[in-house]
Amino acid sequence: MSLTIEVAGHALALLPERAALLVEEGRLLVADAHFGKAQAFRSLGVPVPAGTTVQNLHTLTMLINRTGARSITFLGDLLHARHGRGDATLAAVAAWRQTHRDVPMTLVRGNHDSHAGDPPPDWQIEVVDEPLSTTGDGVLALCHHPAPLPGRYVIAGHIHPAALVGRRIGSLRLPCFHFSAAVGVLPAFGAFTGSHTVRPGPEDRVFVVVEDEIRCLPGRPA
């Protein structure tokens, strides 16, 4: 179940699949997919599960169909590393892209993209540097790094935010959406990524992902 909030005067639907939708534009926002991360670890001899890229692609297809998204913007770190550019990973994403060839896609370069390189041409993903302005009033700036910009509201990724829920003993650490006065950070979309526990300010809004729901963190502004 999604939860729609207002961010800088714009409706933003928070999705339990750890993505968000700019409602007016029909633009799906996806941060930190890290395609090929498991492959990169396996190439270095680390035994990790296979199939995470296919799982992520299946989730993206489900989101496109469910939300009716008209475009997708990846907020950095689409590919994890050069070691993750295996044939199977590249072929899986290329086939998925062909299935959704009518959906415009853009990548705002992140720090991992600088090392992994831009996506292959057959993925047909436009690549830009941050910030990327949305349509309309131009107040929203789509970035990878969650750094404030004067006169803009930044929506970013990069830090893979998570929040502690419950008492210190027996508390849960859950992926979250974190919105401060000037910057909103989306959780990592990738199925094989770590997380960083955020320390929100008193007026910050925090929404946690609880299975298939989005919930406001208890005690936080809604």
Side-chain angles (χ1 to χ4, degrees):
M1 183 184 301
S2 65
L3 176 67
T4 301
I5 64 172
E6 184 178 296
V7 176
H10 294 268
L12 184 68
L14 311 181
L15 307 168
E17 292 82 7
R18 304 190 300 279
L21 181 76
L22 278 171
V23 177
E24 296 99 325
E25 297 184 29
R27 186 198 297 252
L28 188 64
L29 303 179
V30 177
D32 302 284
H34 287 276
F35 289 143
K37 183 173 183 178
Q39 169 63 35
F41 273 62
R42 288 196 298 274
S43 72
L44 298 173
V46 181
V48 296
T52 55
T53 294
V54 172
Q55 176 185 342
N56 290 336
L57 294 173
H58 174 75
T59 301
L60 280 174
T61 293
M62 182 179 62
L63 286 175
I64 292 170
N65 294 336
R66 195 177 81 222
T67 66
R70 299 190 294 275
S71 67
I72 298 178
T73 297
F74 295 98
L75 302 181
D77 291 0
L78 179 65
L79 284 159
H80 180 71
R82 289 195 182 276
H83 291 301
R85 298 176 72 107
D87 291 342
T89 296
L90 297 179
V93 180
W96 173 84
R97 184 67 181 101
Q98 277 301 302
T99 301
H100 302 288
R101 56 186 172 272
D102 295 331
V103 180
M105 299 185 188
T106 303
L107 167 64
V108 180
R109 285 189 183 95
N111 54 301
H112 278 266
D113 301 302
S114 300
H115 302 292
D118 289 345
D122 62 342
W123 289 11
Q124 301 177 47
I125 297 177
E126 180 185 10
V127 182
V128 300
D129 292 323
E130 59 185 358
L132 173 65
S133 296
T134 61
T135 58
D137 58 17
V139 170
L140 296 179
L142 306 181
C143 301
H144 176 66
H145 299 93
L149 292 174
R152 313 286 294 278
Y153 191 93
V154 171
I155 299 180
H158 183 55
I159 65 172
H160 307 187
L164 289 177
V165 179
R167 298 183 181 274
R168 186 177 297 274
I169 298 176
S171 62
L172 296 174
R173 193 161 173 262
L174 300 174
C176 73
F177 298 82
H178 177 207
F179 297 92
S180 65
V183 178
V185 185
L186 273 56
F189 176 80
F192 182 58
T193 54
S195 60
H196 169 73
T197 303
V198 298
R199 298 184 181 278
E203 300 302 320
D204 292 359
R205 295 181 291 172
V206 179
F207 302 89
V208 294
V209 179
V210 184
E211 296 182 347
D212 59 350
E213 293 185 44
I214 301 293
R215 298 182 187 176
C216 181
L217 190 66
R220 311 303 306 181

